[in-house]
Amino acid sequence: METSVTHTDVVVVGGGLAGLAAATYLARAGKSVTLFEKAASLGGRAATSNHDGYLFNRGIHGLYTGGATEEVLQDLGITYTYGSPKETFLLHDGQIYPFPASTSSLLSSHLLKFGDKMELGFLFSRISRVKAESLAHLSVQQWLESNVKHPLDRQLMASTAQVFTYCSNLDLVSAEVFLSKLQLSLKHPVLYIDGGWQTLVDGLRQTAVEAGARIRSGSRVSAVCYQDAQVEGVQLSDETVVAASSVILATGPDDAAKLVDGGTYAPLREIIDPLIPARVACLDVALRRLPEPRYPVVQDLDQPRFLSAQSVYSRLAPEGGAMIYTFKMLDPTQQSSPRQDEHELEELLDTVQPGWREVLVRRSFLPHIEAIGMLPTALTGGYAGRPKPEVPGIANLYLAGDWIGAGFLSDPSLGSARQVALQILEVEKQVRKPETMLG
Ligand SMILES: Cc1cc2nc3c(=O)[nH]c(=O)nc-3n(C[C@H](O)[C@H](O)[C@H](O)COP(=O)(O)OP(=O)(O)OC[C@H]3O[C@@H](n4cnc5c(N)ncnc54)[C@H](O)[C@@H]3O)c2cc1C
């Protein structure tokens, strides 16, 4: 079969946040960059679907500030408006209580007894001084058992850890993740983005295109081409070969593995096969109005469930309408039951937002979507156990995404995209140096 051949300095595979950011950094530095996205539209898990003005993110999304996501968006000049949740509530034994997030709400809490309040107050005053990295090999459960004695405090901290880590199995997940995320959240707000996360995707796409990157959606890359331990480009599913000096796989781990030697390249398989993703079940509902405006954000103390009517704080629904996102954190070691999970999320809505069924416009259920490509576990030593961007044995082939490097959720996704772009530019500088010296 005849194949057409084109050339570009860098090929980026994947048009989610990581791929778009990496393409922008490189195009701005003067590289010719071509990004291929297999789906018809860009954004990956950060995409938002608009149904008559009701905005469905791919499950619940908040921008956690103070990390690489905020830095990279700022670096690349991506602007967005947002709102921040004012108060979180706790659901316990069918009753709703304010989350004791401040000293005054802790002291006035009807949920906790005096001894619980003293322990929690003391714990929070110590938390900012904890060196989270030193807890990398400890599970959240082990940390809770040695640091939180009162049963209700432990339940509260465990429930918060499940929400923060997107994982219901706290024996698995590294305490480093929970503690570092808790520390960040005490100083930096979470933002609900107006227009959904599509606002960030559109901003990144526009910036990438303005910088000169070529973006091809609806184009699936089928293989990485390499020879003599050096990347040479990619092959598309229509058999077009695109030659490139560097290739970035900004996909999920499984998709990345499939692209090298049809999934049989052992050094990559050894990295990818042991990874444990964090999956969640999401039930999102568009409503004509919000039935119970008093409790827009609710964390369930008794089950790993969370609910946020984000449209109270940001532009996600038409005037008067509401968008509520709910999710259940799953246990990666157990088979989930989508029907049961959906039912439990409906029950959460029934308890917190009674009457939601009567004003329902549209619903979306995602039974087990991957919220994090690689969960940092205690066994693999927290963030230090995450894969690095280089693919062993193939020069100039790189990995980027939420499973590479340190940080959680979109932080490693955008952080690794920036790191890989800088690495590629550094390698090129080194290659060019001898020429400069000769000249
Ligand atoms: C339910 C849920 C809740 C979340 N909540 C938050 C949150 O509150 N805060 C936060 O910061 N993050 C959150 N995240 C995580 C965030 O969405 C991701 O970290 C981020 O979107 C990942 O971007 P990415 O570019 O690394 O990967 P992806 O978005 O997965 O993009 C990879 C892209 O590669 C494409 N691709 C794969 N194979 C090929 C191929 N062969 N050829 C061409 N293209 C290919 C895919 O189609 C996809 O578009 C959440 C995620 C989920 C699912």
Side-chain angles (χ1 to χ4, degrees):
M1 181 181 285
E2 216 177 57
T3 56
S4 63
V5 181
T6 55
H7 182 271
T8 183
D9 291 336
V10 185
V11 160
V12 178
V13 186
L17 296 181
L20 288 167
T24 309
Y25 274 112
L26 288 159
R28 279 200 179 166
K31 299 279 129 209
S32 68
V33 181
T34 309
L35 180 151
F36 296 105
E37 165 56 53
K38 67 179 177 184
S41 51
L42 297 170
R45 283 168 291 153
T48 308
S49 337
N50 184 336
H51 297 280
D52 299 325
Y54 292 97
L55 302 179
F56 288 79
N57 287 322
R58 294 267 167 92
I60 190 163
H61 271 76
L63 195 161
Y64 293 95
T65 54
T69 303
E70 193 184 19
E71 282 167 17
V72 168
L73 293 173
Q74 201 169 357
D75 235 14
L76 298 178
I78 311 302
T79 55
Y80 48 91
T81 55
Y82 55 83
S84 272
K86 305 276 175 287
E87 199 175 4
T88 300
F89 292 87
L90 293 171
L91 175 65
H92 179 52
D93 283 345
Q95 301 290 314
I96 295 180
Y97 305 88
F99 192 109
S102 63
T103 312
S104 62
S105 60
L106 179 64
L107 291 174
S108 62
S109 172
H110 294 297
L111 171 69
L112 303 168
K113 301 221 163 36
F114 180 74
D116 303 329
K117 292 178 187 182
M118 293 296 287
E119 184 188 48
L120 212 56
F122 182 64
L123 191 67
F124 271 93
S125 70
R126 274 191 308 141
I127 265 168
S128 57
R129 295 196 298 276
V130 171
K131 287 214 174 342
E133 319 84 79
S134 68
L135 306 173
H137 287 279
L138 218 56
S139 72
V140 174
Q141 190 60 34
Q142 287 168 323
W143 183 83
L144 289 174
E145 279 165 17
S146 45
N147 287 277
V148 192
K149 301 293 170 216
H150 290 233
L152 200 51
D153 286 343
R154 196 180 286 177
Q155 195 175 347
L156 173 59
M157 294 301 282
S159 155
T160 306
Q162 288 172 328
V163 174
F164 277 13
T165 64
Y166 286 61
C167 177
S168 65
N169 184 339
L170 299 181
D171 286 312
L172 199 65
V173 61
S174 163
E176 178 189 19
V177 175
F178 173 45
L179 269 299
S180 58
K181 219 157 168 273
L182 186 57
Q183 288 170 339
L184 266 182
S185 76
L186 293 173
K187 289 199 219 129
H188 302 276
V190 59
L191 314 180
Y192 294 162
I193 308 296
D194 287 333
W197 276 45
Q198 193 67 38
T199 303
L200 307 181
V201 173
D202 291 346
L204 281 166
R205 185 196 52 78
Q206 190 183 335
T207 317
V209 169
E210 280 168 7
R214 280 173 294 181
I215 295 187
R216 304 280 178 263
S217 41
S219 297
R220 176 192 290 268
V221 169
S222 57
V224 166
C225 309
Y226 73 100
Q227 203 169 6
D228 301 330
Q230 165 69 43
V231 86
E232 296 200 320
V234 295
Q235 180 165 6
L236 306 184
S237 55
D238 66 1
E239 303 209 355
T240 306
V241 172
V242 181
S245 325
S246 303
V247 173
I248 304 173
L249 305 181
T251 68
D254 291 337
D255 283 333
K258 278 184 213 147
L259 292 177
V260 189
D261 291 347
T264 63
Y265 183 68
L268 195 52
R269 284 250 76 109
E270 278 162 25
I271 293 173
I272 288 171
D273 287 349
L275 304 185
I276 299 175
R279 291 205 168 86
V280 292
C282 300
L283 175 63
D284 302 329
V285 293
L287 306 178
R288 280 196 294 284
R289 62 178 176 78
L290 188 64
E292 176 47 276
R294 282 182 300 168
Y295 309 125
V297 183
V298 177
Q299 175 179 323
D300 189 345
L301 264 193
D302 308 325
Q303 289 189 56
R305 303 182 298 191
F306 189 87
L307 170 156
S308 181
Q310 290 196 359
S311 58
V312 169
Y313 304 108
S314 63
R315 201 172 34 73
L316 292 159
E319 195 64 34
M323 271 307 304
I324 307 182
Y325 305 96
T326 73
F327 79 116
K328 176 180 174 183
M329 306 109 230
L330 302 176
D331 178 348
T333 66
Q334 304 290 322
Q335 182 87 25
S336 67
S337 158
R339 188 177 293 203
Q340 174 67 19
D341 295 338
E342 187 172 17
H343 178 65
E344 287 176 17
L345 291 171
E346 286 173 342
E347 266 183 356
L348 177 64
L349 282 163
D350 288 337
T351 309
V352 178
Q353 295 288 338
W356 68 277
R357 293 169 196 265
E358 284 80 68
V359 288
L360 182 67
V361 178
R362 191 183 180 97
R363 61 190 280 162
S364 153
F365 179 61
L366 302 167
H368 31 66
I369 185 164
E370 201 168 292
I372 297 134
M374 186 227 173
L375 191 66
T377 62
L379 212 62
T380 53
Y383 290 133
R386 279 251 181 85
K388 309 277 176 285
E390 302 80 12
V391 175
I394 307 181
N396 302 333
L397 176 62
Y398 300 93
L399 307 167
D402 62 349
W403 51 292
I404 304 296
F408 214 57
L409 296 164
S410 58
D411 280 347
S413 177
L414 288 168
S416 61
R418 175 178 55 187
Q419 185 189 343
V420 163
L422 295 178
Q423 254 173 268
I424 290 174
L425 296 173
E426 192 53 37
V427 167
E428 300 244 333
K429 232 197 281 170
Q430 300 299 332
V431 171
R432 248 186 281 125
K433 248 189 208 154
E435 287 171 23
T436 322
M437 277 156 63
L438 282 176

